[in-house]
Amino acid sequence: CCLQYTARAFLIAAVWAAATDVAAQAHPHLMLGVDGQHHWASHPTDKNFHPTTLGARNSSPTDPDESHIARSRASSHGMDSIRRLAVASGTRHGVDPASVLALIEVESRFNTHAVSAKGARGLMQLMPATALQYGVTTAADLHRPEVNIDAGTRHLKVLLTRYQNSWPLALAAYNAGEGAVARSDRRIPGFRETLLYVPSVLASAERYRVTLLPN
């Protein structure tokens, strides 16, 4: 357990260190390689690299809610139930279940009662205004796992469709908002949290495909 979280902390630190190494360049690019590693480049040589606005002027005090990354680890009680709900919802809405589960892990650490500083709620940390688009009308409902995961998966599907199935852009929009992605010319916004968030979800999804989800 301790080794697992130490390794995860090292991975996030390594990704951020790599990001700051290229911060002085105009638009560094990020790619999750087939080896599961995160690669940065100033001049991408592969179509799977996604441009960011790291170091650009759009970084501001209105960065996303950093409690997603900083939140202390919560209890994973009911993990099997959450896994089943993520698989069912992902399958139902045509979204990779491993990525749904990874997003839940990064957003809330499987804490159904999680509430961020900005008011995002539940397992997938949905804002009430966003949840309302998917028929969720009360804050209490956002803390019901089956409701939260269904609405969050539907929202993720909308973002994937909007960004032509680009997971990095969809995840960036989920974290920082579609407006931030638009203002960044459809690049990953240069917010510190978002630059940590995107590779963290992608890496967790790769792990869940191997370790937790059924074949």
Side-chain angles (χ1 to χ4, degrees):
C1 175
C2 293
L3 287 176
Q4 177 186 355
Y5 283 95
T6 299
R8 179 175 175 79
F10 178 80
L11 170 63
I12 292 176
V15 170
W16 179 243
T20 55
D21 283 344
V22 293
Q25 302 175 41
H27 290 299
H29 291 64
L30 168 68
M31 179 183 74
L32 178 72
V34 294
D35 55 358
Q37 300 300 310
H38 307 98
H39 306 280
W40 294 88
S42 57
H43 303 289
T45 57
D46 188 292
K47 66 180 181 179
N48 293 315
F49 275 98
H50 292 266
T52 77
T53 55
L54 180 63
R57 287 184 296 173
N58 75 316
S59 295
S60 73
T62 60
D63 285 4
D65 185 353
E66 295 198 1
S67 60
H68 292 321
I69 297 298
R71 186 184 295 111
S72 60
R73 180 165 56 95
S75 170
S76 60
H77 176 72
M79 176 63 190
D80 286 344
S81 175
I82 291 170
R83 178 176 64 83
R84 288 193 295 270
L85 288 170
V87 172
S89 186
T91 302
R92 182 166 59 250
H93 297 299
V95 178
D96 172 38
S99 296
V100 174
L101 196 57
L103 190 146
I104 292 170
E105 178 189 69
V106 173
E107 287 284 352
S108 68
R109 304 296 188 264
F110 307 107
N111 182 357
T112 61
H113 304 292
V115 180
S116 79
K118 291 187 177 180
R121 293 178 175 270
L123 291 167
M124 296 185 77
Q125 288 291 277
L126 289 167
M127 294 295 291
T130 300
L132 189 61
Q133 301 174 44
Y134 305 101
V136 184
T137 59
T138 69
D141 279 342
L142 280 174
H143 294 289
R144 294 171 55 197
E146 67 278 13
V147 173
N148 190 284
I149 292 175
D150 184 75
T153 303
R154 289 170 64 190
H155 184 53
L156 191 53
K157 177 65 174 182
V158 167
L159 295 175
L160 284 166
T161 301
R162 181 158 297 162
Y163 298 110
Q164 291 77 52
N165 290 315
S166 167
W167 274 99
L169 287 182
L171 291 172
Y174 194 102
N175 175 256
E178 296 164 67
V181 174
R183 289 190 295 273
S184 302
D185 296 324
R186 292 176 73 90
R187 298 181 173 92
I188 300 172
F191 302 129
R192 178 181 183 274
E193 185 202 341
T194 306
L195 291 165
L196 291 172
Y197 177 91
V198 171
S200 183
V201 175
L202 293 173
S204 290
E206 288 297 315
R207 174 165 50 82
Y208 282 126
R209 287 188 194 103
V210 173
T211 62
L212 289 182
L213 294 176
N215 294 324

